[in-house]
Amino acid sequence: MKVLVANLGSTSFKYRLFDMDSETQLARGGIDRIGSSESSCSVQIGDWQEEVTAHVPDHAVAVRKCLSQLTDAEHGCLKDAAEVSAIGFKAVHGGRVSGVQRVTNDVLSAMAEMNPVAPAHNPPYIAAMRLLSEQLPEIPLVAAFETGFHATIPDRMRYYGIPKSWSDEFQIKKWGFHGASHRFIATRSAELLGRDDLRVISCHLGGSSSICAIRNRQSAGSSMGMSPQTGLPQNNRVGDFDPYVLPMLMDKTGMSLNEVLAHLGSHGGLLGVSNGLSGDMRDLEQAAAAGNADAQLALDMFTSEVRRYLGGMLVELGGADAIVFTGGIGENGKQLRKDVCANLQELGIELDEAKNDSAKGEASIHSANSKTQLWVIPTNEEIIVARQTKQLLEST
């Protein structure tokens, strides 16, 4: 079975092709600037790479272009596009629909109901899925929802302090996201430590960040709530924010509610606190080293929020067997990992600075005296989606 895993944006299509018999990646590629006069189309199959420009008006054409690359007579890894058993999507928010689902009109309608809280994610996925269903009916489409991994979070951790009827009728709950990444960390940490009964805190830190408490390979709590805008501050999204400030901002700025929300979702987070300097951790570290106080404030704020949620997850789990750093920042942010773990020896958490500084790829970074193991583990969300897609196809 061969599964194509798709990562969609409003004008982009990125993919990986897996042979699920051996769980090997056969190819990867992507198309940017879909709908423009010229789109960049890249593909990598083994040692062969190619990047060309072409007119790609929509996502259906993008998929056909990628299938053409994969079946190329000279360099392709498929004899025929019919070898693709399904396209799996790392879908974000379906509200009343979660888990792994065949894409149907009801699934798309459920996703559309969540557009107000996932405005950057759901609309492009819905549009692309509808188009692909119409234009490529021969290929099954499967949505693996980010919220699915967090279905095991207990209700006491899922409900907001609002009228319960609102929670139940309108699906206003703490759903949690980055499910594919946290599921991979749950699986891989169990393999590395040789146990399924672990207490793991997964720190997915990147352009979008969240922290997940994992008990027995299942989610027990997430820093993200109803929307991907919540929890930790993101690169340009606000994170947790007091809703009672919104009317004041509307009055002070003259913005409408939608304008304020859009601003918080695009000019907040690290970008906002650094006074518009950057939402990229690397830029902020460079600027802070040069004496930029706003950049240093953004770094300190982010570190403090990671530590705040880390502390909450430690209490919920009653300690941790392992803390794992993943995502672009988690995997590469040596200074951030050091700052997050600073002065936690009394909690049984002790970083080895030499290991931390030299860590590349998958690596342990805890000291010999640390009761809690500390790891850097590169995530692989795509293989999780491919596995879930395969399981669904085999069960139906």
Side-chain angles (χ1 to χ4, degrees):
M1 182 184 293
K2 295 179 176 65
V3 173
L4 191 71
V5 176
N7 186 354
L8 301 180
S10 58
T11 61
S12 66
F13 172 82
K14 297 178 182 179
Y15 69 87
R16 294 192 187 189
L17 179 68
F18 292 95
D19 181 340
M20 294 310 295
D21 292 336
S22 57
E23 288 198 349
T24 55
Q25 179 179 293
L26 300 177
R28 65 185 300 170
I31 298 178
D32 293 319
R33 298 185 181 182
I34 294 172
S36 300
S37 57
E38 286 191 345
S39 302
S40 173
C41 311
S42 63
V43 61
Q44 179 180 345
I45 302 173
D47 294 331
W48 177 68
Q49 298 183 51
E50 181 183 67
E51 185 167 343
V52 298
T53 57
H55 177 53
V56 182
D58 55 46
H59 283 83
V61 174
V63 173
R64 292 193 185 280
K65 176 67 176 175
C66 113
L67 293 174
S68 175
Q69 293 171 325
L70 297 175
T71 56
D72 179 80
E74 184 178 357
H75 300 287
C77 55
L78 301 176
K79 293 182 179 179
D80 189 274
E83 291 183 50
V84 176
S85 299
I87 301 177
F89 298 89
K90 187 168 66 72
V92 175
H93 206 341
R96 59 183 172 83
V97 173
S98 189
V100 187
Q101 307 282 341
R102 285 286 291 264
V103 175
T104 63
N105 285 331
D106 182 60
V107 169
L108 294 173
S109 295
M111 291 176 66
E113 291 166 11
M114 294 296 108
N115 280 356
V117 292
H121 302 86
N122 276 18
Y125 268 84
I126 293 168
M129 287 174 172
R130 287 194 189 281
L131 188 62
L132 295 176
S133 296
E134 297 169 359
Q135 298 293 320
L136 301 167
E138 69 276 14
I139 302 179
L141 307 182
V142 176
F145 284 97
E146 291 279 317
T147 53
F149 181 63
H150 301 293
T152 51
I153 294 176
D155 282 347
R156 60 184 172 78
M157 301 273 288
R158 187 177 291 281
Y159 276 77
Y160 286 104
I162 60 175
K164 189 169 183 291
S165 60
W166 290 2
S167 297
D168 296 339
E169 183 177 355
F170 305 131
Q171 306 296 318
I172 301 175
K173 300 175 183 178
K174 299 173 186 176
W175 288 96
F177 300 95
H178 295 133
S181 178
H182 293 308
R183 189 187 296 271
F184 180 84
I185 296 304
T187 301
R188 185 58 185 149
S189 58
E191 293 171 349
L192 287 169
L193 276 68
R195 290 171 49 193
D196 285 332
D197 61 341
L198 294 172
R199 299 164 300 169
V200 177
I201 300 176
S202 173
C203 303
H204 177 104
L205 309 177
S208 177
S209 301
S210 69
I211 295 180
C212 179
I214 297 169
R215 181 186 290 113
N216 303 331
R217 295 177 64 160
Q218 295 182 327
S219 176
S222 171
S223 61
M224 279 187 166
M226 175 67 180
S227 83
Q229 315 284 345
T230 52
L232 295 172
Q234 317 293 325
N235 64 343
N236 63 351
R237 302 201 300 264
V238 62
D240 283 344
F241 189 70
D242 189 336
Y244 281 85
V245 180
L246 295 174
M248 188 178 82
L249 282 173
M250 293 166 64
D251 180 62
K252 298 292 186 182
T253 65
M255 293 183 183
S256 67
L257 175 60
N258 285 339
E259 288 172 335
V260 170
L261 292 175
H263 206 76
L264 291 172
S266 60
H267 293 77
L270 295 173
L271 177 65
V273 176
S274 68
N275 205 17
L277 176 64
S278 178
D280 190 301
M281 184 69 67
R282 294 164 295 187
D283 295 338
L284 295 175
E285 288 179 339
Q286 184 177 1
N292 187 299
D294 291 332
Q296 188 62 58
L297 175 61
L299 294 172
D300 292 344
M301 175 216 52
F302 185 72
T303 300
S304 294
E305 287 295 281
V306 172
R307 285 167 62 90
R308 180 168 73 90
Y309 274 105
L310 180 65
M313 300 306 180
L314 281 168
V315 171
E316 174 61 25
L317 293 174
D321 299 296
I323 297 172
V324 177
F325 294 91
T326 192
I329 296 173
E331 294 167 29
N332 300 295
K334 300 175 183 179
Q335 186 62 47
L336 175 80
R337 296 193 299 258
K338 179 180 176 181
D339 292 343
V340 166
C341 296
N343 303 315
L344 300 182
Q345 291 88 342
E346 291 190 14
L347 299 178
I349 299 168
E350 188 171 332
L351 185 83
D352 184 306
E353 291 194 21
K355 288 183 179 179
N356 181 56
D357 289 343
S358 63
K360 291 183 179 179
E362 193 172 87
S364 65
I365 56 173
H366 51 273
S367 74
N369 297 323
S370 185
K371 295 180 180 179
T372 298
Q373 294 196 24
L374 304 173
W375 283 83
V376 177
I377 301 179
T379 193
N380 190 337
E381 297 169 291
E382 290 82 7
I383 193 61
I384 292 294
V385 174
R387 288 171 183 168
Q388 292 177 303
T389 301
K390 178 176 183 282
Q391 290 168 0
L392 180 68
L393 293 180
E394 290 178 339
S395 66
T396 56

